[in-house]
PDB file of all heavy atoms in Angstrom:
ATOM      1  N   ILE A 139       7.217 -11.239 -25.165  1.00 97.00           N
ATOM      2  CA  ILE A 139       6.178 -10.853 -26.141  1.00 97.00           C
ATOM      3  C   ILE A 139       5.073 -11.897 -26.066  1.00 97.00           C
ATOM      4  O   ILE A 139       5.320 -13.107 -26.126  1.00 97.00           O
ATOM      5  CB  ILE A 139       6.713 -10.798 -27.574  1.00 97.00           C
ATOM      6  CG1 ILE A 139       7.911  -9.822 -27.686  1.00 97.00           C
ATOM      7  CG2 ILE A 139       5.603 -10.359 -28.541  1.00 97.00           C
ATOM      8  CD1 ILE A 139       8.615  -9.883 -29.039  1.00 97.00           C
ATOM      9  N   ALA A 140       3.843 -11.406 -25.888  1.00 95.00           N
ATOM     10  CA  ALA A 140       2.654 -12.256 -25.885  1.00 95.00           C
ATOM     11  C   ALA A 140       1.944 -11.990 -27.221  1.00 95.00           C
ATOM     12  O   ALA A 140       1.552 -10.901 -27.508  1.00 95.00           O
ATOM     13  CB  ALA A 140       1.753 -11.955 -24.717  1.00 95.00           C
ATOM     14  N   PHE A 141       1.819 -13.063 -28.015  1.00 95.00           N
ATOM     15  CA  PHE A 141       1.166 -12.955 -29.333  1.00 95.00           C
ATOM     16  C   PHE A 141      -0.267 -13.486 -29.208  1.00 95.00           C
ATOM     17  O   PHE A 141      -0.462 -14.606 -28.791  1.00 95.00           O
ATOM     18  CB  PHE A 141       1.915 -13.801 -30.380  1.00 95.00           C
ATOM     19  CG  PHE A 141       3.261 -13.273 -30.717  1.00 95.00           C
ATOM     20  CD1 PHE A 141       4.413 -13.746 -30.104  1.00 95.00           C
ATOM     21  CD2 PHE A 141       3.431 -12.253 -31.685  1.00 95.00           C
ATOM     22  CE1 PHE A 141       5.661 -13.273 -30.440  1.00 95.00           C
ATOM     23  CE2 PHE A 141       4.658 -11.779 -31.995  1.00 95.00           C
ATOM     24  CZ  PHE A 141       5.772 -12.285 -31.375  1.00 95.00           C
ATOM     25  N   GLU A 142      -1.236 -12.653 -29.620  1.00 92.00           N
ATOM     26  CA  GLU A 142      -2.637 -13.078 -29.592  1.00 92.00           C
ATOM     27  C   GLU A 142      -3.136 -13.273 -31.012  1.00 92.00           C
ATOM     28  O   GLU A 142      -3.039 -12.328 -31.847  1.00 92.00           O
ATOM     29  CB  GLU A 142      -3.463 -12.018 -28.843  1.00 92.00           C
ATOM     30  CG  GLU A 142      -4.925 -12.465 -28.734  1.00 92.00           C
ATOM     31  CD  GLU A 142      -5.781 -11.448 -28.023  1.00 92.00           C
ATOM     32  OE1 GLU A 142      -5.246 -10.474 -27.447  1.00 92.00           O
ATOM     33  OE2 GLU A 142      -7.007 -11.651 -28.031  1.00 92.00           O
ATOM     34  N   ASP A 143      -3.639 -14.443 -31.279  1.00 91.00           N
ATOM     35  CA  ASP A 143      -4.226 -14.724 -32.600  1.00 91.00           C
ATOM     36  C   ASP A 143      -5.555 -13.986 -32.715  1.00 91.00           C
ATOM     37  O   ASP A 143      -6.478 -14.198 -31.911  1.00 91.00           O
ATOM     38  CB  ASP A 143      -4.430 -16.248 -32.706  1.00 91.00           C
ATOM     39  CG  ASP A 143      -4.934 -16.679 -34.087  1.00 91.00           C
ATOM     40  OD1 ASP A 143      -5.446 -15.850 -34.848  1.00 91.00           O
ATOM     41  OD2 ASP A 143      -4.802 -17.880 -34.355  1.00 91.00           O
ATOM     42  N   GLY A 144      -5.629 -13.137 -33.715  1.00 86.00           N
ATOM     43  CA  GLY A 144      -6.864 -12.330 -33.952  1.00 86.00           C
ATOM     44  C   GLY A 144      -8.074 -13.164 -34.269  1.00 86.00           C
ATOM     45  O   GLY A 144      -9.226 -12.757 -34.044  1.00 86.00           O
ATOM     46  N   ARG A 145      -7.872 -14.378 -34.792  1.00 86.00           N
ATOM     47  CA  ARG A 145      -9.016 -15.226 -35.154  1.00 86.00           C
ATOM     48  C   ARG A 145      -9.517 -16.014 -33.949  1.00 86.00           C
ATOM     49  O   ARG A 145     -10.682 -16.052 -33.660  1.00 86.00           O
ATOM     50  CB  ARG A 145      -8.627 -16.157 -36.302  1.00 86.00           C
ATOM     51  CG  ARG A 145      -8.367 -15.434 -37.606  1.00 86.00           C
ATOM     52  CD  ARG A 145      -7.823 -16.360 -38.668  1.00 86.00           C
ATOM     53  NE  ARG A 145      -6.515 -16.835 -38.197  1.00 86.00           N
ATOM     54  CZ  ARG A 145      -5.936 -17.943 -38.531  1.00 86.00           C
ATOM     55  NH1 ARG A 145      -6.512 -18.744 -39.389  1.00 86.00           N
ATOM     56  NH2 ARG A 145      -4.770 -18.285 -38.058  1.00 86.00           N
ATOM     57  N   SER A 146      -8.599 -16.694 -33.259  1.00 88.00           N
ATOM     58  CA  SER A 146      -9.009 -17.630 -32.196  1.00 88.00           C
ATOM     59  C   SER A 146      -8.923 -16.987 -30.843  1.00 88.00           C
ATOM     60  O   SER A 146      -9.551 -17.483 -29.868  1.00 88.00           O
ATOM     61  CB  SER A 146      -8.150 -18.876 -32.221  1.00 88.00           C
ATOM     62  OG  SER A 146      -6.832 -18.557 -31.838  1.00 88.00           O
ATOM     63  N   GLY A 147      -8.120 -15.954 -30.671  1.00 87.00           N
ATOM     64  CA  GLY A 147      -7.910 -15.361 -29.354  1.00 87.00           C
ATOM     65  C   GLY A 147      -6.859 -16.078 -28.537  1.00 87.00           C
ATOM     66  O   GLY A 147      -6.520 -15.632 -27.419  1.00 87.00           O
ATOM     67  N   HIS A 148      -6.276 -17.179 -29.064  1.00 91.00           N
ATOM     68  CA  HIS A 148      -5.257 -17.885 -28.337  1.00 91.00           C
ATOM     69  C   HIS A 148      -4.005 -17.003 -28.184  1.00 91.00           C
ATOM     70  O   HIS A 148      -3.666 -16.263 -29.088  1.00 91.00           O
ATOM     71  CB  HIS A 148      -4.880 -19.194 -29.029  1.00 91.00           C
ATOM     72  CG  HIS A 148      -5.962 -20.202 -28.979  1.00 91.00           C
ATOM     73  ND1 HIS A 148      -6.416 -20.862 -30.065  1.00 91.00           N
ATOM     74  CD2 HIS A 148      -6.701 -20.667 -27.935  1.00 91.00           C
ATOM     75  CE1 HIS A 148      -7.367 -21.697 -29.739  1.00 91.00           C
ATOM     76  NE2 HIS A 148      -7.586 -21.582 -28.439  1.00 91.00           N
ATOM     77  N   VAL A 149      -3.344 -17.161 -27.040  1.00 93.00           N
ATOM     78  CA  VAL A 149      -2.134 -16.383 -26.771  1.00 93.00           C
ATOM     79  C   VAL A 149      -0.960 -17.314 -26.638  1.00 93.00           C
ATOM     80  O   VAL A 149      -1.026 -18.333 -25.954  1.00 93.00           O
ATOM     81  CB  VAL A 149      -2.303 -15.540 -25.489  1.00 93.00           C
ATOM     82  CG1 VAL A 149      -1.006 -14.777 -25.149  1.00 93.00           C
ATOM     83  CG2 VAL A 149      -3.459 -14.560 -25.639  1.00 93.00           C
ATOM     84  N   HIS A 150       0.150 -16.958 -27.306  1.00 95.00           N
ATOM     85  CA  HIS A 150       1.387 -17.708 -27.239  1.00 95.00           C
ATOM     86  C   HIS A 150       2.468 -16.682 -26.852  1.00 95.00           C
ATOM     87  O   HIS A 150       2.470 -15.589 -27.420  1.00 95.00           O
ATOM     88  CB  HIS A 150       1.728 -18.369 -28.575  1.00 95.00           C
ATOM     89  CG  HIS A 150       0.648 -19.258 -29.064  1.00 95.00           C
ATOM     90  ND1 HIS A 150       0.510 -20.542 -28.646  1.00 95.00           N
ATOM     91  CD2 HIS A 150      -0.352 -19.024 -29.944  1.00 95.00           C
ATOM     92  CE1 HIS A 150      -0.540 -21.095 -29.263  1.00 95.00           C
ATOM     93  NE2 HIS A 150      -1.108 -20.191 -30.021  1.00 95.00           N
ATOM     94  N   ARG A 151       3.336 -17.053 -25.939  1.00 95.00           N
ATOM     95  CA  ARG A 151       4.333 -16.105 -25.507  1.00 95.00           C
ATOM     96  C   ARG A 151       5.734 -16.642 -25.655  1.00 95.00           C
ATOM     97  O   ARG A 151       5.968 -17.829 -25.674  1.00 95.00           O
ATOM     98  CB  ARG A 151       4.106 -15.635 -24.094  1.00 95.00           C
ATOM     99  CG  ARG A 151       4.111 -16.741 -23.057  1.00 95.00           C
ATOM    100  CD  ARG A 151       4.220 -16.261 -21.659  1.00 95.00           C
ATOM    101  NE  ARG A 151       5.632 -15.969 -21.350  1.00 95.00           N
ATOM    102  CZ  ARG A 151       6.090 -15.633 -20.171  1.00 95.00           C
ATOM    103  NH1 ARG A 151       5.275 -15.517 -19.160  1.00 95.00           N
ATOM    104  NH2 ARG A 151       7.386 -15.404 -19.974  1.00 95.00           N
TER     105      ARG A 151
END
Side-chain angles (χ1 to χ4, degrees):
I139 304 172
F141 291 96
E142 182 179 353
D143 184 341
R145 293 172 296 155
S146 69
H148 291 129
V149 176
H150 304 277
R151 60 165 278 188

